[in-house]
Amino acid sequence: MTARNMSLYQQSFESVQRNGTKDPRWFQESRSAGMENFIRQGFPGRKDEEWKFSDFRTLARTEFGLSVEEGLSFSSDEFNQLQFTDLNCPRLVLFNGTLCPELCSLPEVDGVTVKTLTAALHDSPDFLKEHLGQYAAINQNPFTALNSAFCKDGFVVHVNQDTVVESPLYLIHVTTNSSRPIRTHLRNLVVLGESSELTLVEGYLGTGDNITFTNPVTEVVVGANSTVHHYRLQNESRNGYHVSCNEVYQSQDSQYRTLSIDLGSQLARNDFRCVLDGEGSLAGIDGLYLLKERQHLDNYTTLEHRKSHCDSRELFKGVLDEKARGGFRGRIIVHEDAQKTDSKQTNKNLLLSDDSLANTKPQLEIYADDVKCTHGATIGQLDSEAMFYLRSRGIPEVAARNMLIYGFAGEVINRVKIDSLRGQLVKYLKKWLPKDEIIQGVSEG
């Protein structure tokens, strides 16, 4: 990062602090700690082991303005033209970090609170203080520190004890075109009390081809005997940067299942960390990335088993074409007290061109002696024998290729339990493929 850019970040931070004098003191102190840690760490370089697959030099040189300074407007017509906006479920919508009330439809369920971070700071500061920033560490991730320094808004969801939310909840953030590069730092918090259940869709969508930088941090707390199904969808501008941190803390007998779909952005990096801190808890982390042109995506996952009799499953699959780049590093940590752990990690990458590239690095750190842990990774091209079999039965080459690609990606898409979302993902995949005649029989509902 240039000295000028660091100075601009510091000046912007001073403006944020002046405008936030009415915020609780603990929140202001959290901002200051975030900025101090970001200045100390700076943007990571290629020599940093945890970041070596991602090149943030252009991002660090770009002079971004805070989106809240732009004063942009956004119409419902523009919103409806975006993909993945017509899920039939309650939703909360932000555009460029600002609430868009006319596009929101909040759930009317007793025991569920859904609001923006700004509203929660005003209405329930003690609840936020108990959880916000307690799981995502600012001293280990410079982007989490940057988010802590500049976060202005985001989503806060609180599900009370013994509450089952029947309908999925859709939290949408849209980045729109502006007169200059803009950055947005969303801070999201989801807390479930004991014996509750929630299905959540977290969407990051983009319009136009503007240069944007979206830097969300999402913290999820899963109470004892509770269940969360969490879908994360990223389809932002192809000139955008998307760097996310996702931290999950699980109590006894809880279940957390997430599925991350990455389709957009020029450069994206997702960090996922699940801490299984209660006996009998289960974590499932799945992901699918479809990349073309010069898109670059890295997924870094950590499954940390702290207590005994916990299970975790992980499946990430990538399809890369043209000059796309993909990276995966999966880390499973089994602590000494985590006996009877059962964990499995898989990463598979399908390269459709000679110029595409995938890096994968599965890791196991086991400090207990009574566990069952496996991991595996593959990088390859389409199966030549399968292609020959399909071609020998009169199927054209392009159609045969597309059938195999769909079969590869469909394993993850079929894990989506929301019919409307799964159908939209099938439609997107059909458009992403060179031709779409090969999967007419695939259900889109």
Side-chain angles (χ1 to χ4, degrees), residues 294-309:
R294 293 181 177 272
Q295 287 182 276
H296 184 120
L297 167 73
D298 289 323
N299 282 310
Y300 272 50
T301 70
T302 301
L303 289 163
E304 185 174 347
H305 291 254
R306 293 184 180 177
K307 298 293 175 62
S308 63
H309 295 90

Side-chain angles (χ1 to χ4, degrees), residues 118-275:
T118 300
L121 281 169
H122 181 270
D123 300 337
S124 48
D126 292 340
F127 168 77
L128 281 185
K129 183 179 180 180
E130 181 182 356
H131 295 289
L132 198 69
Q134 301 303 309
Y135 313 98
I138 60 176
N139 60 349
Q140 299 176 6
N141 186 325
F143 290 101
T144 300
L146 185 65
N147 176 282
S148 297
F150 286 99
C151 64
K152 174 183 176 292
D153 223 333
F155 310 106
V156 176
V157 180
H158 183 202
V159 181
N160 290 345
Q161 180 178 342
D162 299 320
T163 301
V164 176
V165 185
E166 299 290 348
S167 176
L169 175 63
Y170 195 8
L171 306 179
I172 309 173
H173 179 257
V174 181
T175 302
T176 66
N177 265 335
S178 67
S179 59
R180 60 170 177 167
I182 59 172
R183 56 187 169 93
T184 308
H185 307 277
L186 274 293
R187 192 57 176 248
N188 308 318
L189 175 65
V190 181
V191 179
L192 276 75
E194 294 184 9
S195 303
S196 57
E197 185 172 343
L198 175 69
T199 297
L200 182 70
V201 183
E202 185 182 349
Y204 295 90
L205 311 178
T207 66
D209 56 1
N210 195 46
I211 299 175
T212 60
F213 173 27
T214 306
N215 172 218
V217 171
T218 300
E219 296 174 291
V220 181
V221 184
V222 191
N225 199 39
S226 291
T227 300
V228 175
H229 295 274
H230 185 185
Y231 300 95
R232 193 179 183 283
L233 175 65
Q234 187 271 117
N235 192 29
E236 295 189 310
S237 164
R238 287 291 179 90
N239 290 322
Y241 299 88
H242 184 98
V243 184
S244 74
C245 173
N246 307 272
E247 295 277 345
V248 181
Y249 180 85
Q250 295 184 238
S251 298
Q252 182 175 350
D253 294 321
S254 65
Q255 293 191 31
Y256 174 80
R257 300 176 185 273
T258 186
L259 198 161
S260 178
I261 307 290
D262 282 273
L263 309 172
S265 294
Q266 170 191 177
L267 171 62
R269 156 89 178 219
N270 299 316
D271 279 52
F272 299 92
R273 178 170 172 261
C274 284
V275 177

Side-chain angles (χ1 to χ4, degrees), residues 15-34:
S15 175
V16 169
Q17 283 290 68
R18 286 194 300 269
N19 293 331
T21 54
K22 295 183 179 180
D23 292 333
R25 179 172 294 277
W26 65 266
F27 190 67
Q28 297 180 48
E29 293 173 351
S30 175
R31 284 193 189 281
S32 297

